[in-house]
Amino acid sequence: MDANTFLIQVLNGIQYGLLLFLVASGLTLILGIMGIINLAHGTFYMVGAYLAFSLSQHFGNLWLAMAGGVVIAVVIGLVLEWLLISRLYHRDHLYQVLLTYGLILIFEELRSVVFGDDVHGVAVPEILRVSIPLTETLSYPVYRLWMSAVCLVLAVGMYFLIQKTRLGMIIRAGAANREMVQSLGININLLYRLVFALGVALAAFAGMIAAPVASVFPGMGNQVLIVCFVVVVIGGIGSVKGAMLAAILIGLVDTFGKVISLEIGGVQLLPQLSGMMIYVLMAGVLLARPEGLFGKRA
Amino acid sequence: MGKLRPGTIILVVCLLALAVLPWFAEKYYVQLFTKMMIMAIFAMSLDLLVGFTGLVSLGHAAFFGVAGYVLAFAAPEYEAANLWVSLPLAMACSGLLALVIGVLVLRTSGIYFIMVTLAFAQMVFFLFHDTEFGGGADGIYVYAKPVAAIAGWEPFTLENHTHFYFVVLALLVLVYTGLRILLDSLFGRVIVGIRVNEHRMRSLGYRTFRYKLACFVLAGVLAGMAGYFAAAQFGFVNPETLGWHQSGSVLMMVILGGMGTLTGAVVGAFSMILLELGLQGLPAIGGMDLSKHWQLLMGGFIVCAVLLLPHGLLGLGRTASRLRRKPAEARDG
Amino acid sequence: MAEAVLRTEHLSKHFGGLAAVDNVSLEFFTDQIHAVIGPNGAGKTTLTNLLSGELICTSGSIYLDGADIAGLSADRISQRGVGRSYQKTNIFLPFSVFENCRIAAQSRLNSSMRFIRRALAYREVVREAERALEEVGLEDRAQVPAASLSHGEQRQLEIAMTLATRPRILLLDEPLAGMGGEESAHMVELLQKLKPAHAMLLVEHDMDAVFALADRLTVMVDGRVLESGPPEAIRASAAVQEAYLGADEESHQ
């Protein structure tokens, strides 16, 4: 692997990691603040991608599609929390798992009814349809750089939200404790609804910006969901910092797992088994720190 | 003790009905009930974890599916595997996998445990999905059902659907009875104690990790038994067999019937499969083919079940009486 | 004098910057009730948790029969003969009163990896559970679900479970908490009965009970031992009067 290919893979890995961060940060916040395990979180990523696909066809413009898509995602988040999730706060995690599993089936099937089961593509916006040449044969698409930049901006935004605002203060206090939050004079129902909607919007937005590079296909949400679980487990529940670090780590491990070839004792391990790499990483973290890199020790 | 409770009578009647079913039902139904009983064994194995030990595993299908793959590997192409060799082998492999995964996942608890079991099951999924030896995404066929020959003597043949049915029925009864005995043993008392108050169990001197691990492995072995017969019946295994939809749906079976009762797991398995069939047989309404999109209704059903049936089907009575009491409580409060 | 069954040396536990237990050295002897008192947040429960292995100390040592047990897990320490009860009742609510004690007694078998024989067929475990229930006077309530016991009865059950594990050392975290007058008297009587065969750590806010029971008294404030000695000496100590006993009425309810 020469320096340029290496650079490209690093960029790809970071870009994938940042994208994962967008989805995983919502998941970890919903877990940490609301104590809700949401299997349907990956589904919102899929919803975002399909929104980008259909709205960009409708508007003929991905930017408008994204703006509209985020609004729709927020509405979906608010309605779901109000209608269903709010009934789960006092129930065992088991029921949260089942209800959100039911939501996956519903959303997947609705997707199939509305869009069918084909793979769709979304065009990269004209203005970003350029590549930066690295050598005569290699170049790097600007759209991917733009994705990374957007994710970074959002990450910085979340950093400020958590470090500088009242909402952030509650998040940092690790407040799954309703009484404590209420004693601070905060409307807890509203807080939960907003956090949930924020999580949904982040996941959907990730799906929208990923649509042009990853295409839009059935089951895309579940794939992301499980990787995000790994991110949360490695980073520690409720830790946005941990999610960031773990997401980048997994982005790089996954990307390099696919391009490195590794053979031990005549058995080709990589890239054949690259799909398993991140789980091996998770197993390692569990052995060393079962509560995750930035998790609180139970 | 000694007195027949209504529950016992119902249980015996159901068992008798299952025992005579092949004389009255067509092949299709015999095979359908075979499938339901296989899934009932699978659901009971998960109930041991979820309902009795309090371990909510979302990766239980991994042990189910792996046993199916073992059967496929154990059968030379177009030849049948020997049941007495391949079944213990398949169950042992599932148990071994459960041991390895268990050592890792049992270091966590609560929400972590749910996520980590799901993630490791997904790892096993990729192991079979991304590699050639398991046939990749398409899976592999099991061309012939295992042969139950002992030194040339064949007590039964699984190629005969009635024989297959009775073998599975016998196993269902065996597993059910075995688990009942287990739950009343010292070990059984310990795992239930762990579900109720693990912290106190530790302070009483129990090394809870060992018991949870033993339980996890046992549940894996039993899931393996179910997976073996599922693969033998369907004639193929693919990565979906150990995928997370399978794990989700078996968890739904346990909860639907009412967890922590064993009978609930069986009832849940039977009802879920019947419901699935019912939904798949729905007609087209307007422009929408409901039978093709039956999962939409299944999802809706699951959401409603979670909101409306906190104690499962077997707990319907309890749910109903609580609802009736509610207005009175509201006035008191 | 006989050697201490349980002894701590310079035991400390820090939570971040806070020293919840700070350089505590105490001794516990058989046939002696060692009461630890102090205002809320003095580190009494943390001390109990360190001794029972539920928390791992930051520094210092804990000697059980002369062997250092600091760092051992709670289950191992329990197996070595340390039994504890909890400030917040910590029992198996859905189980019957008898089963609560039976599962406690079962923990003394070499292994519970027994999968076939019925649990009730282990006669010696059943007898041990019955003995513990009789000891606290709950034998009439054996078949009732633990959840339906009164608060005082649950506290008694808590002690019975601990006794069923045949401990040599009892760590009792506020056994009288929330009890009425008659129940308290009953419990004081029980602890007196248990004293000869056990070494006892008693964390308690009820001063009447403490002075009725304690052979040795340690006052903790802010994680440190303020004073330790015979009850009469502690009662007379000016420092204790000022720091704790004087403020008694406000700090407790």
Side-chain angles (χ1 to χ4, degrees):
Chain A
M1 196 184 297
D2 63 59
N4 281 314
T5 328
F6 181 77
L7 176 69
I8 288 177
Q9 296 308 337
V10 170
L11 286 173
N12 279 343
I14 290 178
Q15 175 258 308
Y16 177 47
L18 286 168
L19 192 70
L20 281 178
F21 168 76
L22 281 197
V23 187
S25 57
L27 191 68
T28 204
L29 282 179
I30 292 171
L31 270 169
I33 299 174
M34 301 162 62
I36 291 277
I37 175 161
N38 179 17
L39 293 191
H41 201 74
T43 305
F44 302 134
Y45 175 82
M46 177 194 78
V47 167
Y50 275 91
L51 279 175
F53 163 68
S54 64
L55 292 180
S56 66
Q57 280 193 331
H58 185 255
F59 293 128
N61 179 331
L62 187 63
W63 308 117
L64 274 178
M66 284 182 184
V70 168
V71 174
I72 295 177
V74 169
V75 171
I76 292 179
L78 293 174
V79 170
L80 280 181
E81 199 279 345
W82 168 64
L83 214 57
L84 300 173
I85 306 293
S86 60
R87 287 162 216 276
L88 291 174
Y89 295 135
H90 299 292
R91 303 279 300 272
D92 195 90
H93 298 316
L94 184 56
Y95 298 98
Q96 305 173 354
V97 165
L98 279 176
L99 190 136
T100 52
Y101 174 71
L103 283 181
I104 293 180
L105 296 185
I106 293 175
F107 276 105
E108 277 287 343
E109 218 47 51
L110 279 178
R111 187 262 316 141
S112 165
V113 171
V114 178
F115 298 102
D117 296 329
D118 299 327
V119 176
H120 298 284
V122 174
V124 173
E126 195 124 15
I127 192 168
L128 297 174
R129 222 173 284 164
V130 278
S131 292
I132 299 170
L134 293 171
T135 64
E136 277 167 27
T137 49
L138 290 172
S139 61
Y140 199 78
V142 167
Y143 184 76
R144 280 178 182 266
L145 290 177
W146 174 83
M147 276 172 78
S148 297
V150 170
C151 291
L152 271 177
V153 168
L154 282 172
V156 171
M158 284 188 63
Y159 173 82
F160 274 102
L161 180 79
I162 288 167
Q163 294 296 325
K164 310 286 179 201
T165 64
R166 236 171 123 69
L167 175 68
M169 183 181 73
I170 300 157
I171 295 170
R172 271 180 293 138
N177 182 341
R178 292 177 76 101
E179 283 163 30
M180 199 273 269
V181 176
Q182 253 155 348
S183 72
L184 293 170
I186 286 156
N187 180 342
I188 189 115
N189 293 328
L190 185 65
L191 172 76
Y192 281 11
R193 200 155 294 164
L194 289 178
V195 168
F196 192 79
L198 174 70
V200 173
L202 281 172
F205 184 72
M208 288 175 214
I209 62 173
V213 292
S215 74
V216 179
F217 56 98
M220 64 188 295
N222 299 336
Q223 217 174 317
V224 165
L225 171 80
I226 297 172
V227 179
C228 285
F229 274 180
V230 177
V231 168
V232 172
V233 169
I234 292 181
I237 285 179
S239 166
V240 174
K241 205 185 349 171
M244 185 57 154
L245 188 80
I248 300 281
L249 195 63
I250 283 179
L252 289 171
V253 164
D254 191 73
T255 307
F256 278 93
K258 284 182 183 134
V259 293
I260 294 174
S261 126
L262 176 71
E263 211 183 280
I264 294 177
V267 184
Q268 191 81 21
L269 291 179
L270 289 177
Q272 268 80 355
L273 292 176
S274 62
M276 291 176 64
M277 282 282 284
I278 58 169
Y279 303 102
V280 175
L281 184 69
M282 178 178 77
V285 170
L286 280 179
L287 280 175
R289 273 184 74 89
E291 68 282 6
L293 295 177
F294 288 89
K296 290 181 205 74
R297 237 169 235 276
Chain B
M1 279 277 122
K3 220 167 36 177
L4 275 181
R5 288 177 300 130
T8 321
I9 297 170
I10 295 173
L11 201 68
V12 170
V13 169
C14 289
L15 192 60
L16 284 176
L18 281 176
V20 298
L21 180 107
W23 281 282
F24 298 97
E26 290 167 37
K27 182 177 177 186
Y28 170 80
Y29 289 101
V30 173
Q31 286 177 332
L32 173 65
F33 272 82
T34 309
K35 182 185 168 191
M36 294 199 295
M37 292 192 297
I38 291 173
M39 294 313 281
I41 295 176
F42 185 26
M44 281 196 292
S45 75
L46 182 62
D47 197 17
L48 185 64
L49 289 181
V50 177
F52 292 98
T53 321
L55 296 168
V56 181
S57 169
L58 201 46
H60 204 50
F63 315 118
F64 178 83
V66 159
Y69 273 99
V70 173
L71 170 62
F73 295 141
E77 211 164 337
Y78 305 113
E79 269 177 62
N82 186 308
L83 177 78
W84 309 114
V85 178
S86 57
L87 176 60
L89 183 70
M91 288 165 70
C93 287
S94 290
L96 192 66
L97 182 67
L99 180 69
V100 174
I101 292 183
V103 166
L104 290 166
V105 298
L106 288 170
R107 295 170 65 82
T108 67
S109 59
I111 292 188
Y112 270 108
F113 185 82
I114 298 173
M115 294 197 291
V116 174
T117 46
L118 173 60
F120 277 116
Q122 197 65 9
M123 173 169 119
V124 178
F125 175 86
F126 278 120
L127 181 64
F128 287 99
H129 186 272
D130 290 355
T131 52
E132 291 299 313
F133 74 97
D138 298 328
I140 18 181
Y141 285 96
V142 181
Y143 288 100
K145 301 212 180 340
V147 184
I150 314 166
W153 175 62
E154 229 184 311
F156 53 84
T157 164
L158 293 179
E159 292 291 350
N160 177 321
H161 67 271
T162 314
H163 284 199
F164 199 117
Y165 175 89
F166 278 113
V167 169
V168 172
L169 175 62
L171 285 174
L172 178 73
V173 173
L174 193 73
V175 170
Y176 180 84
T177 323
L179 286 177
R180 276 269 166 260
I181 292 173
L182 176 90
L183 288 166
D184 207 24
S185 72
L186 292 181
F187 179 81
R189 300 293 178 105
V190 172
I191 59 170
V192 176
I194 289 174
R195 187 200 70 212
V196 173
N197 191 342
E198 181 172 1
H199 170 239
R200 186 57 159 155
M201 287 301 277
R202 249 187 258 128
S203 85
L204 286 175
Y206 289 100
R207 307 199 65 184
T208 54
F209 181 84
R210 286 185 184 181
Y211 295 97
K212 288 194 290 184
L213 186 59
C215 198
F216 199 78
V217 172
L218 180 65
V221 168
L222 291 178
M225 179 197 274
Y228 176 93
F229 283 97
Q233 192 192 16
F234 308 151
F236 68 90
V237 265
N238 63 17
E240 298 304 321
T241 327
L242 37 74
W244 76 301
H245 273 286
Q246 182 85 285
S247 294
S249 102
V250 69
L251 188 61
M252 189 58 217
M253 290 176 186
V254 173
I255 308 308
L256 179 65
M259 60 173 174
T261 56
L262 285 191
T263 348
V266 179
V267 171
F270 278 53
S271 346
M272 275 287 276
I273 293 171
L274 288 177
L275 180 67
E276 212 176 291
L277 273 180
L279 293 180
Q280 282 166 348
L282 285 175
I285 295 175
M288 199 163 114
D289 184 2
L290 281 181
S291 64
K292 187 177 162 226
H293 297 295
W294 63 276
Q295 295 243 19
L296 189 62
L297 295 169
M298 183 59 103
F301 171 77
I302 291 177
V303 169
C304 293
V306 169
L307 294 178
L308 305 175
L309 290 176
H311 307 292
L313 286 177
L314 289 189
L316 262 179
R318 202 146 43 116
T319 309
S321 72
R322 183 157 300 183
L323 282 178
R324 255 185 273 112
R325 253 203 330 268
K326 225 174 204 162
E329 276 169 10
R331 252 179 281 123
D332 295 342
Chain C
M1 197 167 186
E3 205 191 325
V5 189
L6 186 68
R7 182 159 54 89
T8 73
E9 268 178 20
H10 310 296
L11 195 63
S12 295
K13 174 69 187 179
H14 298 263
F15 292 110
L18 177 85
V21 169
D22 194 1
N23 198 21
V24 170
S25 303
L26 296 173
E27 291 182 314
F28 302 90
F29 297 92
T30 304
D31 195 16
Q32 193 188 72
I33 295 182
H34 189 154
V36 174
I37 60 172
N40 289 326
K44 299 170 309 241
T45 295
T46 307
L47 175 68
T48 318
N49 284 335
L50 289 174
L51 293 177
S52 70
E54 270 154 84
L55 288 174
I56 303 295
C57 60
T58 315
S59 63
S61 338
I62 305 167
Y63 294 99
L64 180 63
D65 302 319
D68 193 350
I69 58 162
L72 288 190
S73 56
D75 51 82
R76 285 175 194 265
I77 289 181
S78 161
Q79 292 293 356
R80 283 173 176 236
V82 179
R84 77 164 292 186
S85 74
Y86 290 82
Q87 183 181 358
K88 244 182 99 189
T89 306
N90 193 352
I91 57 182
F92 301 91
L93 289 171
F95 291 1
S96 72
V97 169
F98 168 74
E99 177 62 14
N100 268 278
C101 279
R102 204 204 54 77
I103 195 102
Q106 182 186 325
S107 70
R108 299 302 114 168
L109 296 176
N110 278 333
S111 165
S112 285
M113 289 284 180
R114 300 276 177 275
F115 303 91
I116 295 169
R117 197 170 157 211
R118 288 173 60 238
L120 291 180
Y122 289 78
R123 292 303 308 166
E124 70 283 8
V125 174
V126 170
R127 267 197 301 275
E128 194 62 28
E130 285 164 349
R131 184 192 63 84
L133 282 179
E134 273 166 39
E135 195 128 37
V136 303
L138 274 179
E139 65 271 27
D140 294 339
R141 309 282 276 156
Q143 297 312 321
V144 174
S148 62
L149 291 182
S150 72
H151 175 76
E153 285 173 324
Q154 290 189 349
R155 307 292 306 168
Q156 283 172 299
L157 176 58
E158 176 93 41
I159 306 279
M161 287 165 69
T162 310
L163 290 178
T165 64
R166 289 249 173 217
R168 289 171 297 137
I169 299 143
L170 286 172
L171 309 175
L172 306 174
D173 196 356
E174 299 196 33
L176 300 176
M179 277 190 165
E182 200 177 320
E183 288 170 331
S184 290
H186 188 82
M187 182 66 80
V188 167
E189 203 178 307
L190 172 65
L191 296 185
Q192 244 145 9
K193 192 171 79 182
L194 294 173
K195 189 171 98 166
H198 300 89
M200 247 188 260
L201 162 69
L202 175 68
V203 173
E204 189 48 67
H205 274 314
D206 182 332
M207 283 306 132
D208 294 335
V210 165
F211 281 104
L213 283 167
D215 301 294
R216 192 176 177 84
L217 201 52
T218 294
V219 183
M220 281 181 76
V221 174
D222 294 334
R224 287 187 310 276
V225 172
L226 185 69
E227 204 118 359
S228 188
E232 313 79 56
I234 299 295
R235 206 199 284 267
S237 155
V240 173
Q241 288 289 347
E242 195 180 322
Y244 180 57
L245 290 178
D248 194 14
E249 300 312 314
E250 294 92 49
S251 68
H252 291 150
Q253 289 316 320

